[in-house]
Amino acid sequence: MTRPPVQRYRGPVLPDGEARDLYVVDGHITYEPQAGADTAAEGWIVPGLVDAHCHLGLDDFGPTDDAATEQQAIDDRDGGALLIRDAGSAADTRWIHDRDDLPRLIRCGRHIAATKRYIRNYAHEVEPADLATYAAQEARNGDGWIKLVGDWISRDEGDLAPSFPAEAFRAAIDAAHAEGAKVTAHCFGHGVLPGLIEAGIDCIEHGTGLTEDLIDAMVAHGTRLVPTVMQLDKFPEHAAAGQEKFPAYARTMTDLYARMPATIMAAYEAGVPIYAGSDGGGISRHGNIAGEVEALVRIGMPAHDALGAASWRAREWLGVDGLTEGASADFVVYDRNPLEDLSVLRTPTAVVLRGVAVGS
Ligand SMILES: [Zn+2]
Protein backbone atom coordinates (compact mmCIF):
# COMPACT_ATOMS: atom_id res chain seq x y z
CA MET A 1 0.00 0.00 0.00
CA THR A 2 1.39 3.41 -0.92
CA ARG A 3 1.26 6.00 1.79
CA PRO A 4 -0.51 9.24 1.01
CA PRO A 5 1.75 12.32 0.74
CA VAL A 6 2.42 14.38 3.84
CA GLN A 7 -0.79 16.04 5.01
CA ARG A 8 -1.17 19.17 7.07
CA TYR A 9 -4.12 19.79 9.39
CA ARG A 10 -4.42 23.29 10.74
CA GLY A 11 -6.37 24.75 13.62
CA PRO A 12 -6.85 24.87 17.37
CA VAL A 13 -5.87 21.54 18.90
CA LEU A 14 -7.83 20.38 21.95
CA PRO A 15 -7.67 20.04 24.89
CA ASP A 16 -5.69 23.29 25.20
CA GLY A 17 -7.06 24.89 22.03
CA GLU A 18 -3.71 26.24 20.86
CA ALA A 19 -3.67 26.86 17.09
CA ARG A 20 -1.13 24.60 15.44
CA ASP A 21 -0.11 22.95 12.21
CA LEU A 22 -0.28 19.20 12.67
CA TYR A 23 1.45 17.08 10.03
CA VAL A 24 0.78 13.45 9.28
CA VAL A 25 3.82 11.51 8.10
CA ASP A 26 3.60 7.75 7.65
CA GLY A 27 0.55 7.56 9.85
CA HIS A 28 2.11 9.51 12.70
CA ILE A 29 1.85 13.04 14.02
CA THR A 30 4.59 15.61 13.90
CA TYR A 31 4.53 19.30 14.65
CA GLU A 32 7.81 19.80 12.77
CA PRO A 33 6.99 21.76 9.60
CA GLN A 34 7.12 19.50 6.53
CA ALA A 35 8.00 21.00 3.16
CA GLY A 36 5.48 20.37 0.39
CA ALA A 37 2.66 19.29 2.67
CA ASP A 38 -0.88 19.60 1.35
CA THR A 39 -3.43 21.18 3.67
CA ALA A 40 -5.98 18.40 4.09
CA ALA A 41 -8.38 20.22 6.39
CA GLU A 42 -8.68 23.18 8.71
CA GLY A 43 -10.77 23.33 11.85
CA TRP A 44 -10.87 22.29 15.46
CA ILE A 45 -8.71 19.22 15.97
CA VAL A 46 -9.73 16.76 18.69
CA PRO A 47 -7.90 13.58 19.74
CA GLY A 48 -9.73 10.51 18.41
CA LEU A 49 -12.97 10.06 20.30
CA VAL A 50 -13.34 7.15 22.70
CA ASP A 51 -16.45 5.09 23.28
CA ALA A 52 -15.69 3.48 26.62
CA HIS A 53 -18.85 1.35 26.68
CA CYS A 54 -19.95 -0.08 23.39
CA HIS A 55 -20.69 -3.59 22.09
CA LEU A 56 -19.35 -4.66 18.71
CA GLY A 57 -20.80 -7.95 17.56
CA LEU A 58 -24.07 -7.69 19.48
CA ASP A 59 -27.57 -6.72 18.54
CA ASP A 60 -30.90 -7.08 20.34
CA PHE A 61 -30.91 -10.83 19.85
CA GLY A 62 -27.33 -11.86 20.56
CA PRO A 63 -24.14 -12.20 18.52
CA THR A 64 -24.02 -10.68 15.02
CA ASP A 65 -22.18 -12.02 11.97
CA ASP A 66 -18.93 -10.41 10.86
CA ALA A 67 -20.57 -8.29 8.13
CA ALA A 68 -22.98 -6.72 10.62
CA THR A 69 -20.19 -6.25 13.16
CA GLU A 70 -18.07 -4.52 10.52
CA GLN A 71 -20.90 -2.09 9.79
CA GLN A 72 -21.24 -1.32 13.53
CA ALA A 73 -17.52 -0.56 13.71
CA ILE A 74 -17.73 1.67 10.62
CA ASP A 75 -20.69 3.55 12.12
CA ASP A 76 -18.76 4.11 15.35
CA ARG A 77 -15.67 5.21 13.44
CA ASP A 78 -17.56 7.63 11.22
CA GLY A 79 -19.07 9.13 14.38
CA GLY A 80 -15.50 9.91 15.44
CA ALA A 81 -14.96 7.01 17.88
CA LEU A 82 -11.49 5.74 17.01
CA LEU A 83 -10.95 3.81 20.24
CA ILE A 84 -13.59 1.50 21.65
CA ARG A 85 -13.65 -0.32 24.94
CA ASP A 86 -16.04 -3.12 24.11
CA ALA A 87 -18.00 -3.76 27.30
CA GLY A 88 -18.84 -7.36 26.47
CA SER A 89 -19.62 -9.19 23.25
CA ALA A 90 -21.00 -12.62 22.46
CA ALA A 91 -19.15 -12.64 19.12
CA ASP A 92 -15.44 -13.22 18.61
CA THR A 93 -14.34 -9.80 17.33
CA ARG A 94 -10.58 -10.33 17.51
CA TRP A 95 -10.36 -9.95 13.70
CA ILE A 96 -11.06 -6.22 14.08
CA HIS A 97 -7.51 -5.85 15.44
CA ASP A 98 -6.21 -6.76 11.97
CA ARG A 99 -8.17 -4.04 10.19
CA ASP A 100 -6.36 -0.70 9.93
CA ASP A 101 -9.55 0.97 8.73
CA LEU A 102 -11.55 0.07 11.85
CA PRO A 103 -11.31 1.63 15.33
CA ARG A 104 -8.81 0.44 17.89
CA LEU A 105 -10.56 -2.05 20.09
CA ILE A 106 -10.15 -3.12 23.71
CA ARG A 107 -12.29 -6.22 24.20
CA CYS A 108 -13.80 -7.32 27.52
CA GLY A 109 -14.53 -10.85 26.32
CA ARG A 110 -18.06 -12.10 26.83
CA HIS A 111 -20.26 -10.78 29.65
CA ILE A 112 -20.53 -13.09 32.66
CA ALA A 113 -23.99 -13.17 34.27
CA ALA A 114 -25.96 -15.31 36.67
CA THR A 115 -28.04 -18.13 35.18
CA LYS A 116 -31.16 -16.73 33.48
CA ARG A 117 -30.42 -13.28 34.86
CA TYR A 118 -29.48 -11.27 31.75
CA ILE A 119 -30.49 -10.55 28.16
CA ARG A 120 -30.85 -13.86 26.31
CA ASN A 121 -27.88 -15.01 24.20
CA TYR A 122 -25.57 -12.28 25.50
CA ALA A 123 -23.62 -13.71 28.41
CA HIS A 124 -21.93 -16.75 29.80
CA GLU A 125 -24.59 -17.58 32.40
CA VAL A 126 -22.97 -19.25 35.38
CA GLU A 127 -23.52 -20.37 38.96
CA PRO A 128 -21.71 -18.55 41.80
CA ALA A 129 -19.20 -21.39 42.27
CA ASP A 130 -18.10 -21.07 38.64
CA LEU A 131 -17.84 -17.30 38.48
CA ALA A 132 -14.10 -17.04 39.23
CA THR A 133 -13.25 -19.73 36.68
CA TYR A 134 -15.14 -17.87 33.96
CA ALA A 135 -13.60 -14.58 35.06
CA ALA A 136 -10.11 -16.03 34.59
CA GLN A 137 -11.13 -17.51 31.23
CA GLU A 138 -12.53 -14.22 29.88
CA ALA A 139 -9.50 -12.39 31.27
CA ARG A 140 -7.37 -14.59 29.03
CA ASN A 141 -9.76 -14.13 26.07
CA GLY A 142 -10.08 -10.36 26.30
CA ASP A 143 -7.77 -7.40 25.86
CA GLY A 144 -7.11 -6.65 29.51
CA TRP A 145 -10.67 -6.25 30.74
CA ILE A 146 -13.58 -8.44 31.75
CA LYS A 147 -17.26 -7.54 32.15
CA LEU A 148 -19.51 -8.86 34.91
CA VAL A 149 -23.25 -8.36 35.13
CA GLY A 150 -23.39 -7.05 38.69
CA ASP A 151 -27.14 -6.91 39.10
CA TRP A 152 -30.31 -7.66 37.20
CA ILE A 153 -33.95 -8.25 38.00
CA SER A 154 -34.52 -11.24 40.26
CA ARG A 155 -37.88 -12.77 39.38
CA ASP A 156 -37.92 -14.48 42.78
CA GLU A 157 -37.48 -11.21 44.64
CA GLY A 158 -39.42 -9.16 42.09
CA ASP A 159 -36.76 -6.48 42.24
CA LEU A 160 -33.29 -5.56 41.11
CA ALA A 161 -30.79 -7.72 43.03
CA PRO A 162 -27.08 -8.59 42.94
CA SER A 163 -26.29 -11.37 40.47
CA PHE A 164 -23.95 -13.18 42.86
CA PRO A 165 -22.98 -13.12 46.56
CA ALA A 166 -20.25 -10.61 47.41
CA GLU A 167 -17.70 -13.35 48.09
CA ALA A 168 -18.20 -14.83 44.62
CA PHE A 169 -17.65 -11.39 43.08
CA ARG A 170 -14.51 -10.93 45.14
CA ALA A 171 -13.11 -14.28 43.98
CA ALA A 172 -13.86 -13.33 40.35
CA ILE A 173 -12.17 -9.94 40.68
CA ASP A 174 -9.13 -11.57 42.28
CA ALA A 175 -9.03 -14.21 39.51
CA ALA A 176 -9.14 -11.60 36.75
CA HIS A 177 -6.53 -9.45 38.46
CA ALA A 178 -4.28 -12.51 38.78
CA GLU A 179 -4.49 -12.82 34.97
CA GLY A 180 -3.53 -9.15 34.62
CA ALA A 181 -7.01 -8.00 33.57
CA LYS A 182 -9.14 -5.20 34.94
CA VAL A 183 -12.76 -5.76 35.89
CA THR A 184 -15.89 -3.77 35.26
CA ALA A 185 -19.52 -4.54 36.05
CA HIS A 186 -23.00 -3.56 34.98
CA CYS A 187 -24.61 -2.08 38.11
CA PHE A 188 -28.02 -0.39 38.11
CA GLY A 189 -28.93 -0.79 41.79
CA HIS A 190 -27.32 -0.09 45.13
CA GLY A 191 -26.97 -3.52 46.73
CA VAL A 192 -24.19 -4.90 44.57
CA LEU A 193 -21.95 -1.85 44.79
CA PRO A 194 -20.38 -1.95 48.30
CA GLY A 195 -18.94 -5.43 47.80
CA LEU A 196 -17.59 -4.72 44.33
CA ILE A 197 -15.93 -1.46 45.31
CA GLU A 198 -14.43 -2.96 48.47
CA ALA A 199 -13.17 -5.93 46.44
CA GLY A 200 -11.21 -3.52 44.22
CA ILE A 201 -13.24 -3.54 41.03
CA ASP A 202 -11.66 -1.16 38.50
CA CYS A 203 -14.75 0.42 36.96
CA ILE A 204 -18.51 0.60 37.40
CA GLU A 205 -20.86 0.77 34.41
CA HIS A 206 -24.08 2.80 34.86
CA GLY A 207 -23.74 3.38 38.64
CA THR A 208 -27.24 4.72 39.30
CA GLY A 209 -27.25 3.08 42.75
CA LEU A 210 -24.30 5.07 44.04
CA THR A 211 -24.63 6.87 47.36
CA GLU A 212 -22.38 9.41 49.03
CA ASP A 213 -20.45 6.83 51.09
CA LEU A 214 -19.89 4.64 48.02
CA ILE A 215 -18.73 7.62 45.98
CA ASP A 216 -16.17 8.33 48.72
CA ALA A 217 -15.11 4.67 48.56
CA MET A 218 -14.69 4.93 44.76
CA VAL A 219 -12.47 7.97 45.20
CA ALA A 220 -10.41 6.15 47.85
CA HIS A 221 -10.02 3.05 45.63
CA GLY A 222 -9.54 4.91 42.35
CA THR A 223 -12.62 3.26 40.83
CA ARG A 224 -13.77 4.70 37.48
CA LEU A 225 -17.34 5.28 36.28
CA VAL A 226 -18.92 4.98 32.84
CA PRO A 227 -22.55 6.03 33.35
CA THR A 228 -23.93 5.61 29.79
CA VAL A 229 -26.51 8.35 30.39
CA MET A 230 -28.34 7.58 27.13
CA GLN A 231 -28.92 4.02 28.36
CA LEU A 232 -30.09 5.30 31.77
CA ASP A 233 -32.67 7.41 29.94
CA LYS A 234 -34.39 4.10 29.15
CA PHE A 235 -35.17 3.38 32.82
CA PRO A 236 -38.74 4.71 32.50
CA GLU A 237 -39.31 2.13 29.71
CA HIS A 238 -37.93 -0.67 31.93
CA ALA A 239 -40.16 0.51 34.76
CA ALA A 240 -43.25 0.60 32.54
CA ALA A 241 -42.50 -2.87 31.14
CA GLY A 242 -42.15 -4.33 34.66
CA GLN A 243 -45.01 -2.42 36.26
CA GLU A 244 -47.63 -5.16 36.12
CA LYS A 245 -45.64 -8.24 37.18
CA PHE A 246 -42.83 -6.62 39.16
CA PRO A 247 -44.13 -3.43 40.81
CA ALA A 248 -41.23 -3.28 43.29
CA TYR A 249 -38.77 -3.41 40.40
CA ALA A 250 -40.72 -0.68 38.60
CA ARG A 251 -40.55 1.50 41.72
CA THR A 252 -36.80 0.89 42.06
CA MET A 253 -36.12 1.83 38.43
CA THR A 254 -38.34 4.92 38.67
CA ASP A 255 -36.59 6.03 41.85
CA LEU A 256 -33.08 5.41 40.43
CA TYR A 257 -34.00 7.39 37.34
CA ALA A 258 -35.39 10.32 39.30
CA ARG A 259 -32.11 10.61 41.20
CA MET A 260 -29.87 9.77 38.23
CA PRO A 261 -28.55 13.24 37.31
CA ALA A 262 -27.84 14.06 40.96
CA THR A 263 -26.17 10.67 41.53
CA ILE A 264 -23.83 10.91 38.54
CA MET A 265 -23.04 14.54 39.21
CA ALA A 266 -22.29 13.80 42.88
CA ALA A 267 -19.69 11.29 41.68
CA TYR A 268 -18.31 13.86 39.27
CA GLU A 269 -18.12 16.59 41.94
CA ALA A 270 -16.39 14.19 44.33
CA GLY A 271 -13.69 13.50 41.75
CA VAL A 272 -14.63 10.04 40.46
CA PRO A 273 -13.15 9.87 36.94
CA ILE A 274 -16.07 9.61 34.50
CA TYR A 275 -15.87 8.45 30.88
CA ALA A 276 -18.34 8.49 28.01
CA GLY A 277 -19.97 5.30 26.75
CA SER A 278 -22.75 5.14 24.17
CA ASP A 279 -23.77 1.54 24.97
CA GLY A 280 -24.03 1.04 21.20
CA GLY A 281 -25.10 -2.53 20.51
CA GLY A 282 -26.54 -2.95 24.00
CA ILE A 283 -30.00 -2.24 22.62
CA SER A 284 -28.74 1.11 21.27
CA ARG A 285 -27.48 2.21 17.91
CA HIS A 286 -23.81 2.55 17.00
CA GLY A 287 -22.05 5.73 15.93
CA ASN A 288 -23.56 7.99 18.57
CA ILE A 289 -20.79 8.89 21.00
CA ALA A 290 -21.74 12.52 20.27
CA GLY A 291 -25.10 11.83 21.90
CA GLU A 292 -23.42 10.71 25.11
CA VAL A 293 -21.24 13.84 25.29
CA GLU A 294 -24.43 15.89 24.95
CA ALA A 295 -26.12 13.76 27.61
CA LEU A 296 -23.26 14.31 30.07
CA VAL A 297 -23.55 18.06 29.52
CA ARG A 298 -27.32 17.85 29.95
CA ILE A 299 -26.94 16.38 33.45
CA GLY A 300 -24.53 19.15 34.39
CA MET A 301 -20.98 18.30 33.34
CA PRO A 302 -19.01 21.20 31.84
CA ALA A 303 -18.48 20.75 28.09
CA HIS A 304 -14.69 20.57 28.38
CA ASP A 305 -14.90 17.67 30.85
CA ALA A 306 -17.67 15.91 28.91
CA LEU A 307 -15.66 16.01 25.69
CA GLY A 308 -12.52 15.01 27.58
CA ALA A 309 -14.51 12.03 28.93
CA ALA A 310 -14.96 10.96 25.30
CA SER A 311 -11.49 11.89 24.11
CA TRP A 312 -8.22 12.89 25.74
CA ARG A 313 -9.02 11.78 29.31
CA ALA A 314 -10.37 8.42 28.17
CA ARG A 315 -7.38 7.82 25.89
CA GLU A 316 -5.04 8.45 28.79
CA TRP A 317 -7.04 6.11 31.03
CA LEU A 318 -6.97 3.33 28.46
CA GLY A 319 -3.27 3.80 27.73
CA VAL A 320 -3.56 5.22 24.21
CA ASP A 321 -1.68 8.36 23.15
CA GLY A 322 -3.35 11.67 22.43
CA LEU A 323 -1.98 14.13 19.89
CA THR A 324 1.64 14.04 21.04
CA GLU A 325 4.66 14.23 18.77
CA GLY A 326 5.15 10.83 17.13
CA ALA A 327 1.77 9.41 18.18
CA SER A 328 -0.47 7.57 15.74
CA ALA A 329 -2.50 10.13 13.79
CA ASP A 330 -5.93 9.41 15.26
CA PHE A 331 -8.03 12.55 15.42
CA VAL A 332 -11.20 14.25 14.29
CA VAL A 333 -11.53 17.71 12.71
CA TYR A 334 -14.62 19.89 13.15
CA ASP A 335 -15.43 23.14 11.40
CA ARG A 336 -16.29 24.93 14.64
CA ASN A 337 -15.41 24.68 18.30
CA PRO A 338 -17.20 21.65 19.77
CA LEU A 339 -16.85 23.13 23.26
CA GLU A 340 -19.11 25.98 22.17
CA ASP A 341 -21.44 23.90 20.01
CA LEU A 342 -21.51 20.17 20.74
CA SER A 343 -23.82 19.56 17.81
CA VAL A 344 -20.80 19.82 15.50
CA LEU A 345 -19.66 16.45 16.88
CA ARG A 346 -22.29 14.89 14.60
CA THR A 347 -20.73 16.31 11.43
CA PRO A 348 -16.95 15.87 11.46
CA THR A 349 -15.04 17.57 8.64
CA ALA A 350 -12.46 14.78 8.71
CA VAL A 351 -11.95 11.55 10.64
CA VAL A 352 -8.32 10.48 10.54
CA LEU A 353 -7.39 7.00 11.74
CA ARG A 354 -3.78 5.78 11.70
CA GLY A 355 -3.02 8.74 9.42
CA VAL A 356 -5.68 7.96 6.84
CA ALA A 357 -8.81 10.06 6.30
CA VAL A 358 -11.59 7.49 6.56
CA GLY A 359 -15.34 7.47 5.92
CA SER A 360 -17.54 10.12 4.29
ZN1 LIG B 1 -23.68 -2.24 27.67
Side-chain angles (χ1 to χ4, degrees):
M1 190 179 122
T2 54
R3 283 284 178 191
V6 174
Q7 305 282 330
R8 175 173 53 214
Y9 292 86
R10 171 170 281 178
V13 179
L14 292 181
D16 64 13
E18 188 189 333
R20 308 183 82 168
D21 282 351
L22 181 159
Y23 298 87
V24 176
V25 181
D26 286 336
H28 294 269
I29 290 166
T30 182
Y31 295 98
E32 293 291 322
Q34 303 289 309
D38 297 328
T39 299
E42 295 192 36
W44 290 78
I45 302 170
V46 179
L49 301 188
V50 180
D51 194 336
H53 182 137
C54 183
H55 304 275
L56 292 171
L58 265 188
D59 67 10
D60 296 6
F61 308 102
T64 54
D65 64 22
D66 288 355
T69 303
E70 178 187 36
Q71 190 58 53
Q72 295 172 346
I74 290 170
D75 290 347
D76 287 326
R77 179 198 73 186
D78 292 351
L82 302 182
L83 171 63
I84 290 171
R85 187 184 62 142
D86 186 297
S89 180
D92 183 345
T93 55
R94 261 171 267 230
W95 57 270
I96 292 175
H97 292 315
D98 301 327
R99 288 278 300 270
D100 280 351
D101 62 327
L102 297 180
R104 295 174 196 282
L105 178 61
I106 297 170
R107 294 160 41 256
C108 281
R110 190 169 184 175
H111 308 69
I112 310 171
T115 307
K116 297 203 188 305
R117 293 273 308 278
Y118 199 46
I119 303 165
R120 262 161 76 106
N121 303 325
Y122 269 40
H124 289 301
E125 298 189 2
V126 308
E127 296 299 314
D130 299 321
L131 182 60
T133 304
Y134 275 83
Q137 171 195 302
E138 292 310 296
R140 292 189 293 270
N141 283 340
D143 299 325
W145 280 89
I146 68 164
K147 170 75 176 289
L148 307 176
V149 177
D151 60 10
W152 198 251
I153 187 171
S154 160
R155 283 156 199 279
D156 298 336
E157 297 176 42
D159 204 345
L160 208 51
S163 307
F164 299 101
E167 37 309 350
F169 276 124
R170 180 179 285 275
I173 291 167
D174 289 347
H177 284 170
E179 297 286 346
K182 293 190 163 89
V183 182
T184 194
H186 162 111
C187 303
F188 281 170
H190 176 80
V192 68
L193 288 167
L196 290 177
I197 295 166
E198 279 308 311
I201 196 163
D202 301 278
C203 186
I204 298 291
E205 311 297 308
H206 315 304
T208 30
L210 286 168
T211 47
E212 210 171 309
D213 55 323
L214 289 172
I215 287 169
D216 291 345
M218 287 181 79
V219 172
H221 287 268
T223 321
R224 314 304 175 106
L225 175 64
V226 181
T228 71
V229 175
M230 293 190 293
Q231 183 67 280
L232 307 181
D233 283 336
K234 296 182 182 172
F235 278 20
E237 288 171 41
H238 299 317
Q243 183 62 48
E244 193 131 317
K245 274 169 84 178
F246 304 109
Y249 169 78
R251 274 196 300 279
T252 297
M253 297 304 282
T254 301
D255 177 51
L256 290 171
Y257 187 64
R259 291 188 282 115
M260 179 275 282
T263 303
I264 305 303
M265 286 309 295
Y268 169 78
E269 302 287 351
V272 173
I274 291 178
Y275 304 99
S278 73
D279 219 346
I283 325 281
S284 296
R285 72 183 179 89
H286 281 268
N288 192 26
I289 190 62
E292 184 65 14
V293 177
E294 291 171 341
L296 288 168
V297 170
R298 193 193 76 221
I299 65 169
M301 201 180 285
H304 197 275
D305 282 351
L307 186 55
S311 176
W312 52 91
R313 283 199 302 106
R315 296 179 74 85
E316 187 179 4
W317 172 46
L318 295 169
V320 178
D321 287 335
L323 297 180
T324 51
E325 178 75 24
S328 177
D330 292 13
F331 56 87
V332 190
V333 184
Y334 301 100
D335 70 7
R336 50 193 191 278
N337 184 355
L339 299 176
E340 288 170 4
D341 178 5
L342 290 171
S343 72
V344 76
L345 295 175
R346 297 180 183 283
T347 52
T349 303
V351 176
V352 179
L353 175 58
R354 300 180 175 97
V356 177
V358 291
S360 64

